[in-house]
Every structure is written in structure tokens, then in C-alpha cells.
Amino acid sequence: MRAANIAYPHSKTASGKPKGNRRILGSIFTISFCIFVVVATFFGRLPVQLLAIYAIACILTFIVYAMDKAAAKNDKWRTKESTLHLLGLIGGWPGAFYAQNKLRHKSKKNEFQSVFWITVVLNVGAFVYLFTDGGSKYITVISNFW
């Protein structure tokens, strides 16, 4: 027996880039987005309801990831990947990103990660659309929802 594919902390991948770069960039993006949502809400550019939707979606998504991780460890019934992606798409992606890194769940599956980042782009794109003339009417809809 012999070890293969050994990697040391802060080692570089075959491409020459440190392995943690993607995680660091993702963390910066996620934290920046969350700060922006809170600040925009504080200054009245977004309704509190939208902040609440994001917060609830993030917490729910983290919980679902944690339950799926536990199910994976115990050979129990698993959550569909499409459900995890849907939760991210509706605004839970910061919670999903945190769960992937904290719980080390679904963080190594390249196909899953590709679809995950597409859902992030779609969600952030829809969020940015709310700041346009066409999207501002949806802010009123969200405000009147609760």
C-alpha cells in the first residue's frame, strides 16, 4: 500500500492555484451580498420582508443541508439535489454556501457546484433586477405581501 494524491494544507493544485481560492472568493462574494441586502434594507431601498425571506431561506437551506449530510452518513433517505438547488435559487444560497463549507457537504461534487453557482447567478440577477425601473414594481408586491 502507498499513499496517492497527497495534498498538504495551502498546497497548490495541478493548475498552480491554491485550493482555498475558490472558497475565499465565494466567501467574500457571499458576505458582501448579505451585507448589501442588510444595508439596502436599513436605508429603505428594500422592504424588510425581502430581508426576512432571505434570512428564512438561508436558515431553512442550512438545516436541509445538515439533515442531508446526516442522512448521507447514516445511509438514510436523502434530499434530492434538485430540492437543494431550488432552495438556493429562492434565496437560500448563502445558507447553502455556508453549509457546504462548514459541513463539507456537496462541496467536492463538481457537477453539483456548477449548478449551484448557476442558481446563485440567477438569484443575484433577479435581486439586481429589483433595482431597475422594471423590477421596482416587484418591491411593492413584496412589501404588500405581508
Side-chain angles (χ1 to χ4, degrees):
M1 295 180 75
R2 67 184 186 132
N5 297 324
I6 296 173
Y8 296 97
H10 308 293
S11 66
K12 296 186 179 204
T13 61
S15 67
K17 295 181 181 176
K19 290 181 177 183
N21 274 359
R22 282 186 281 175
R23 186 182 306 172
I24 291 169
L25 290 174
S27 295
I28 291 169
F29 178 76
T30 303
I31 292 167
S32 298
F33 178 82
C34 292
I35 290 170
F36 182 81
V37 172
V38 170
V39 169
T41 303
F42 180 77
F43 286 109
R45 295 281 300 160
L46 292 173
V48 175
Q49 293 90 332
L50 188 60
L51 177 63
I53 290 168
Y54 268 104
I56 292 166
C58 287
I59 293 166
L60 175 66
T61 302
F62 183 88
I63 291 168
V64 171
Y65 268 76
M67 291 170 49
D68 190 49
K69 175 72 174 192
K73 285 183 174 180
N74 298 315
D75 282 336
K76 301 286 183 186
W77 192 72
R78 303 284 306 278
T79 304
K80 291 181 180 180
E81 287 187 354
S82 59
T83 301
L84 297 175
H85 289 311
L86 180 62
L87 288 168
L89 183 64
I90 64 171
W93 68 266
F97 181 80
Y98 183 66
Q100 289 170 14
N101 290 288
K102 181 72 174 173
L103 306 173
R104 297 188 185 268
H105 189 52
K106 301 288 188 183
S107 59
K108 302 263 188 240
K109 292 181 71 178
N110 289 331
E111 183 179 335
F112 184 88
Q113 285 296 304
S114 296
V115 176
F116 168 73
W117 284 107
I118 290 170
T119 65
V120 171
V121 168
L122 290 172
N123 180 268
V124 172
F127 179 80
V128 169
Y129 178 69
L130 295 175
F131 291 93
T132 67
D133 290 337
S136 63
K137 63 185 172 201
Y138 295 106
I139 290 180
T140 306
V141 171
I142 293 168
S143 297
N144 294 331
F145 182 69
W146 282 338

